[in-house]
Every structure is written in structure tokens, then in C-alpha cells.
Amino acid sequence: MNKIKNVLLINSFGGSLIVADVKNRMKILGSYEHTGYGIPIQRENYPDIDYKERFEDWPKQDLSNTIVIAQPPCSAFSSQNIVKKYQGTNTDAFKCTTQVLKYAMENKCASVAIESVVGAKKVTGKLYNDIAEKYGYNVYRIVQNSIEFGVPQWRPRFWVIFVEKSLNRDQTLWLKHKPKRKTLQQVFDK
């Protein structure tokens, strides 16, 4: 996947994805939102990024050398959501996820990674497999926890990663990560 040159952020959660990509020296193609969430804060901190506030403004573009990283609303699978009509894959909240996937894949992105709560893993399996097959992507599922990245918080998260099949012919996805755990005491001692 050495042809990936850019990252496009969608639903950056008020700019958290921008911070990570700037730290890792990625070329940020843009930060797009469905409903403008956090755009003023993002613009204040990173004025040179291309922002799109509404889904309707996302341009048709060649994303073949781009990874799309998205944090669409995960309320449809949250353990805090106890209202049946707002749960599952037929909700407005999950519609944002399918819009991200359709947009990224129809614009031929190299890869797209969607972050969600762990509850989404059980419910989305067949749906994600069908989307991957329709657009020609391999699909991978990963559960990570923020504590493994040195954040003193137990916060498991589910990632679904789609990689365009021609970039991943052997269907293997290698991830290398050395856990960096910190306790609250270690954070406060600094």
C-alpha cells in the first residue's frame, strides 16, 4: 500500500483525527463532516485544511491514493442507547456510516477505516461483507483499547478496515503495535 499519499478525515470528532494525522505527518486532503460538527474549532486550530461542513458538499474526487478515516456517529450501537428505534443498522445515525463507505468507495479510495463502539461488531458483519464485495474491497475487523496507546482510560473500540483488493491481493493485513500502558498515577506524576 505504498501508493497511499493522503488521508481524508470524515467526522473527525471535533478535530481529534486531525491532531493524530498532523502528529504522524500525514498529508490531510480534507476534513469533512455530515452536519458541521466541530468545524469552527478545527478551522481555528488548523486553518489550511479543506473543510466541508455538510454531506451535500463532499466533492467527487479521485481518492485512489488516499486512506479515508472516519468516526461517524456510533449511537446506534452504544450501550447507553436504550431506545429501540434508535438502535441498529436502519437508523439515521448508522446512515452516516453507509454514506461514508459509499462516498469513499465510489471515489475509489485505497482504504477506508471506520471507528465505532464494540457493539457495532456483532450487528454489522454481513452488511460490511456485502459492501466490501460490492465495491471490491477486503474487509478486516479489529478491536483496540485506548489503554494500549498510553491513554489512562479503558475504552475499547471497534475498527472496520476496508482495503482495495488490488492493493491487498494476499488478503493479509499486518498491524504492528507495541502496547504503551500508563496508569493515572504515572500521568499525574509528570
Side-chain angles (χ1 to χ4, degrees):
M1 294 195 8
N2 59 357
K3 78 177 210 167
I4 296 176
K5 307 265 188 251
N6 307 314
V7 62
L8 174 62
L9 309 172
I10 300 181
N11 301 118
S12 177
F13 209 71
S16 64
L17 291 176
I18 295 173
V19 173
D21 290 315
V22 167
K23 183 178 179 183
N24 289 294
R25 297 189 178 116
M26 297 292 294
K27 181 180 177 204
I28 301 171
L29 191 65
S31 181
Y32 300 175
E33 297 289 332
H34 275 88
T35 59
Y37 178 79
I39 291 285
I41 294 167
Q42 293 178 54
R43 275 198 179 111
E44 183 69 27
N45 290 304
Y46 300 98
D48 297 330
I49 293 176
D50 179 35
Y51 296 100
K52 303 296 182 208
E53 293 192 31
R54 304 270 179 248
F55 172 71
E56 298 78 26
D57 299 330
W58 299 1
K60 182 163 179 49
Q61 60 188 315
D62 178 9
L63 298 176
S64 60
N65 65 351
T66 303
I67 181 170
V68 175
I69 304 175
Q71 292 177 312
C74 54
S75 60
F77 312 107
S78 172
S79 61
Q80 301 297 308
N81 179 356
I82 59 170
V83 181
K84 283 278 189 212
K85 71 178 182 177
Y86 297 121
Q87 297 173 350
T89 58
N90 292 324
T91 61
D92 286 342
F94 189 70
K95 181 180 177 185
C96 292
T97 299
T98 56
Q99 287 174 327
V100 167
L101 290 171
K102 183 177 179 184
Y103 175 80
M105 293 176 180
E106 286 184 355
N107 284 284
K108 310 291 187 215
C109 73
S111 179
V112 58
I114 305 279
E115 185 265 351
S116 192
V117 295
V118 177
K121 185 175 183 288
K122 298 174 195 168
V123 181
T124 57
K126 181 176 178 352
L127 182 100
Y128 284 152
N129 289 346
D130 291 347
I131 290 170
E133 186 62 33
K134 176 180 177 180
Y135 288 102
Y137 287 76
N138 293 320
V139 61
Y140 305 90
R141 293 158 180 88
I142 300 164
V143 176
Q144 295 180 319
N145 194 318
S146 62
I147 200 165
E148 301 294 324
F149 295 88
V151 177
Q153 180 185 42
W154 190 263
R155 190 176 173 93
R157 285 295 180 261
F158 166 60
W159 284 87
V160 60
I161 300 172
F162 298 84
V163 180
E164 203 277 323
K165 283 186 177 182
S166 70
L167 300 174
N168 183 241
R169 292 192 197 286
D170 69 358
Q171 299 181 9
T172 303
L173 181 67
W174 291 92
L175 300 174
K176 185 177 178 181
H177 174 68
K178 184 177 181 181
K180 300 174 187 173
R181 295 183 182 103
K182 286 185 184 175
T183 64
L184 282 172
Q185 187 64 48
Q186 289 170 314
V187 173
F188 288 134
D189 284 347
K190 289 185 178 181

